[in-house]
């Protein structure tokens, strides 16, 4: 841990320099002006985080993950954003706070699963060499570990409205493009273990879970998992902000009849 | 303006319903599971905001705008994000605050120009029918208006390091895909007017300026302009957060010798 | 407007220096170690913002304003904070976003009224010399101006539950301590004008309105008005966060039956 | 853990009801209108969090803690706030983000120490009954535990500029008002143990450390520790925002010469 002031920074992500009277922006070794119009947003996001452009299959799968994460109705982050619109804030205050709303209980479960899976598989070396039996063993260990702690395995759950169709769809896309690897397989084995542990009742993988598996099979560090959700969902937060703003609502609030006061009464002190 | 509580919401963006024991997510009339793996992030962002899928040309140009906006070195929003990493916050706190940092003087000038240009052109009807002469007149009015107010035209400036190459590159991509319309033309005419008003000295269009023109020629409302910058730049904020975190820095701070105290001294009171 | 980097800062608020191997913190000419235990929080807040300690009367009135602003049930900022607790965020993410929720339509009306009143009275010189007739004229101008614009005078309104008792109570405290000056008087005259304009129906001053008047009569710049609300209400946001966290709730969300989807349906495209 | 929608809330903090056509705000059993002008901000903050008014000694000590926490020069949260001012954001965006900047490495160490100390002492029952020997043993356990983990004890450190005078000053105020109890004693014993472990070299208690001890001896839950810092420091963030805004600076940024690019170069790919 080294304490730093504001005068010395080191980065391998980007440099901005003057060249021939023009500003040149180099992103991980690529001139940004050459990426514009030639590479997609997903390809450039991959480059930004991993330092190299993705293969066509990797680009398609990351794009699919971003699309899967882009919208989920007026879910909590977009509910927050719509409230901010009704309070008359700027769009950036609303989107910024919608993003800040992600925590351990909402939008963080993908990161938790990714950390858990990576913790087990990284020590086993190249994921391509990990066999089915080893993955079965890890799946078992993860499910048993959760049971002993009395906690849930993050990334699997009983959604409010039914099984989450984004998970099987994303796994299919990953398989189609050759990205379905050790982590996607592990995620599926965990799902099977959870069902077995519940007498066959499904505990389906949700977006958090499949997002973790795909991010890791795409080669990202587990610490990047949440960023795909944040970047994609910012579109929802912004779209919902603009719609609520156009509806000219104000002061989204709780009604008195929705709040039960269980505190002390005056004159009893 | 209508005051609302938290129990009644109306949206045309997305619905999430149960269907055959499975959750179905419908985004602007499209099943999300059908968009995943078939539509790109940019196409889906366009759909989210405008309610219809873009033409191929529109998709390419929006993608290009997002790529152009994705990174600019350790610019203010990513500087803030890196500082947060050194303070030991979560990635969502850092990205959320980097987004909240956008204001009137940083990252807001695109929205200001878009509002200005839309204010002049929207009353003139279908942008495709606005002639060159009318655009010249509007450009002149905008430049004159700024001069009278003693203010700058937002979206044009003298960058720290030289002319901004993202602007001409984006305009070329827009032209290539048939998106270069009334707003892009107006933005170019404003640039010419500004140079003329300064005896030929260029006042080049920057990313804010070209972003505004392209967003409007893509058919977006001016109020959406800033969202393209926020969503794209969230990738930079996240990447820089992860890099600073990996560098294990702490407590990015100002040194005492960088601060001049000009207040009262003790014992003088 | 001058562009700055991160190496040169100038402040009259505080300096932190080494002295005899010990750190000395000087706040507006006062050693912080001498303020601790001798001056109240309100007195020190006054010193921080105005550069001098308040008179006893000013200290009491500022303290009263902070207390009046400290809590208002699960009002929007604390509703946001409680939601964040249910999402499993940190207390600082919740309080920070509750503060960011203040906008033009919620929690900003005090600042708007302060700016309006200061805009009229500052050009008239020393507020102590402004006569009753002049104040009447200004009150009339403000009410007429709002009527012509078709807008409301900020700081006055029909609260959801009845007249706001914080306003008359604060005005009484201000009067008791000799702080009730030109701005408090102007605020009262505006209230009278509004009632007259509505055939006698009261449009009572609310916390925003009286907060603006008191902040200005305490000698603060109108731009500081919102800070008293933010600082005081942060206590509510924090207390509500801790209570919701202790209740171990999760995922505060909207139910599907509370959302009406008015967008396109699939298969109609 | 119970999943909740937005329609049912329970709180013992405050109720807002209509009574005789007037709004009545009851805070923990006290009418807010009766607190205004009679109770200080610190007293009301104590009431909000603990549900009862403090003794005079407790009120003085909490006030002292808030004053001690109110300002520390252009420290990170106020540096962030000043940057936001230069970007042209609102004061609430700046203060909200300054608050969100608190993390594990900055401004969070008080909470960590409070949790650590409470973890050891709460099981021992009424703090007033814990003897000096037990406290010695706990201090030793805490220091040994940190050494084994290879980590630092939070709340003690070598400040940049010398020993922190706020700690001894606050401990003196606590002693003066009869608040110096088991936690303050424990914090002092930890300081002694740390010095002994370093051959006599002092590792002085800082504001984080003494704030934790005082908060706990005042009877607060360790989870509330950070709130005293956030609320108090919001004043600094606001004051610094207003000063930077008045200085009309723009775009606080890093210079190119302060950034070393260590990434790939173009044309090497």
């Amino acid at each position: 841990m080294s304490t730093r002031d504001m005068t010395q920074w080191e980065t391998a992500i980007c440099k901005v320099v003057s060249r021939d009277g023009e500003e040149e922006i180099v992103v991980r070794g690529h001139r940004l002006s050459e990426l514009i119009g030639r590479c997609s947003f997903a390809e450039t996001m991959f480059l930004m985080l991993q330092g190299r452009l993705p293969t066509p299959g990797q680009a398609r799968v990351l794009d699919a993950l971003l699309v899967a994460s882009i919208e989920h109705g007026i879910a909590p982050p977009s509910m927050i954003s719509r409230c901010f619109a009704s309070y008359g804030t700027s769009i950036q205050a609303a989107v910024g706070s919608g993003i800040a709303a992600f925590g351990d209980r909402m939008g963080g479960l993908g990161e938790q699963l990714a950390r858990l899976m990576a913790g087990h598989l990284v020590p086993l070396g190249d994921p391509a060499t990990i066999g089915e039996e080893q993955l079965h063993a890890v799946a078992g260990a993860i499910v048993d570990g959760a049971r002993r702690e009395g906690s849930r395995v993050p990334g699997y759950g009983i959604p409010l409205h039914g099984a989450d169709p984004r998970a099987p769809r994303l796994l299919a896309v990953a398989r189609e493009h050759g990205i379905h690897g050790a982590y996607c397989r592990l995620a599926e084995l965990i799902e099977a273990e959870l069902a077995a542990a519940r007498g066959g009742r499904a505990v389906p993988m949700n977006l958090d879970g499949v997002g973790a598996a795909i991010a890791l099979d795409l080669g990202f560090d587990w610490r990047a998992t949440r960023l795909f959700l944040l970047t994609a969902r910012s579109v929802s937060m912004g779209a919902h902000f603009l719609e609520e703003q156009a509806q000219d609502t104000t002061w989204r609030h709780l009604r008195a009849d929705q709040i039960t006061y269980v505190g002390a009464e005056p004159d009893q002190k």
Side-chain angles (χ1 to χ4, degrees), chain A residues 263-269:
Chain A
E265 292 294 339
D267 297 324
Q268 291 168 3
K269 292 185 175 273

Side-chain angles (χ1 to χ4, degrees), chain A residues 1-9:
Chain A
M1 192 190 303
S2 58
T3 306
R4 292 291 170 83
D5 64 24
M6 299 293 290
T7 64
Q8 284 179 299
W9 304 77

